[in-house]
Amino acid sequence: GGAVAITDAMFIELHNISRWFGNNQALVDVNLALETGRIGLLGPNGAGKSTLMKILLGLLPPSSGTGRVLDHDLATAGALLRRSIGYMSEADSLIPGVQGAEYVALAGELYGMPRKQALRRAHEVLTYLDLGDARYRKLEEYSTGMKQRLKLAQALVHDPPVLLLDEPTSGMDPAGREGMLDLLVQLGKDHGKAILLSTHLLGDIDKVCDAVVILHQGRILCQGPVQDL
């Protein structure tokens, strides 16, 4: 589709970002300067990856520190930033009784697309992700692998230049996982999407990403090219 990857602005710049939930500190003085590309965010469950994702989306304010994503200031970033990003959450957030095409079109409308365009794009994206045959099935009839691809479809519907993907291969069998990772490589290499891939699986990052950031107990342990890891 039409969107071009953003290359002139930095993808992510964070300065001393911390986030507390009551007495629990989820992120500790996170500093990052990342250019657009395919970046892995690696860490065990509870490392703070999902919290960091939500801060990058402007959904969660940092407790302290400053940052910019795609040149939007995190302190003031809102819907405008989120229109540039396709977000695939780890949680299912699927609505029972809704058909696949309707669900993806609804996501398009939430991203700000006119209804007609959102529906057309929903069908295009579902076909691209090999879900064309399931587009009129209700979401509760989808297998785990199909649900994961459907979540990717709703992240792609508005053709964003950037994808934030939280555990995109979660619950998938080996064949489904390989298929998902192939799709992500394609989206990065052939369609010029910048990708931030959050996972606890090193293999996913090894296949898709050029660079990696390792997060542990809310702190960045190291960052750099995947081959140096």
Side-chain angles (χ1 to χ4, degrees), residues 38 40 42 177 181 185 189 197 199 201-212 225-229:
R38 298 189 305 284
L42 180 68
R177 186 171 161 234
L181 296 175
V185 171
K189 287 190 172 167
L197 168 62
T199 181
L201 301 168
L202 180 57
D204 286 14
I205 285 172
D206 199 31
K207 174 140 189 189
V208 176
C209 302
D210 312 311
V212 65
V226 169
Q227 63 265 32
D228 296 354
L229 189 64

Side-chain angles (χ1 to χ4, degrees), residues 33-54:
L34 300 170
E35 292 180 9
T36 43
R38 298 189 305 284
I39 299 150
L41 182 60
L42 180 68
N45 292 332
K49 302 190 301 294
S50 293
T51 302
L52 182 56
M53 284 278 202
K54 284 174 186 150

Side-chain angles (χ1 to χ4, degrees), residues 87-93 148 151 154 164-168:
Y87 175 54
M88 180 176 171
S89 70
E90 185 179 7
D92 261 357
S93 63
Q148 289 300 102
K151 280 158 57 179
Q154 66 76 34
L164 259 55
L165 311 170
D166 200 351
E167 300 284 357

Side-chain angles (χ1 to χ4, degrees), residues 16-44:
N16 295 325
I17 292 280
S18 293
R19 176 68 206 200
W20 293 82
F21 295 100
N23 294 325
N24 173 35
Q25 191 170 8
L27 293 173
V28 185
D29 293 332
V30 170
N31 288 287
L32 273 180
L34 300 170
E35 292 180 9
T36 43
R38 298 189 305 284
I39 299 150
L41 182 60
L42 180 68

Side-chain angles (χ1 to χ4, degrees), residues 74-167:
L74 284 181
T76 53
L80 203 61
L81 167 63
R82 288 189 285 280
R83 281 179 188 178
S84 305
I85 295 175
Y87 175 54
M88 180 176 171
S89 70
E90 185 179 7
D92 261 357
S93 63
L94 303 175
I95 310 161
V98 173
Q99 295 175 343
E102 182 59 40
Y103 175 77
V104 177
L106 175 63
E109 287 186 82
L110 290 173
Y111 282 118
M113 298 173 82
R115 168 84 182 152
K116 219 168 162 178
Q117 188 193 350
L119 259 174
R120 193 184 72 238
R121 262 296 285 179
H123 288 284
E124 285 173 9
V125 172
L126 287 168
T127 302
Y128 174 70
L129 297 179
D130 286 334
L131 286 173
D133 294 346
R135 70 185 73 190
Y136 297 122
R137 280 168 64 179
K138 292 188 174 155
L139 300 190
E140 59 267 35
E141 297 168 17
Y142 279 46
S143 68
T144 301
M146 289 162 75
K147 281 177 182 168
Q148 289 300 102
R149 277 183 289 149
L150 186 76
K151 280 158 57 179
L152 179 59
Q154 66 76 34
L156 284 171
V157 66
H158 58 306
D159 201 18
V162 172
L163 296 172
L164 259 55
L165 311 170
D166 200 351
E167 300 284 357

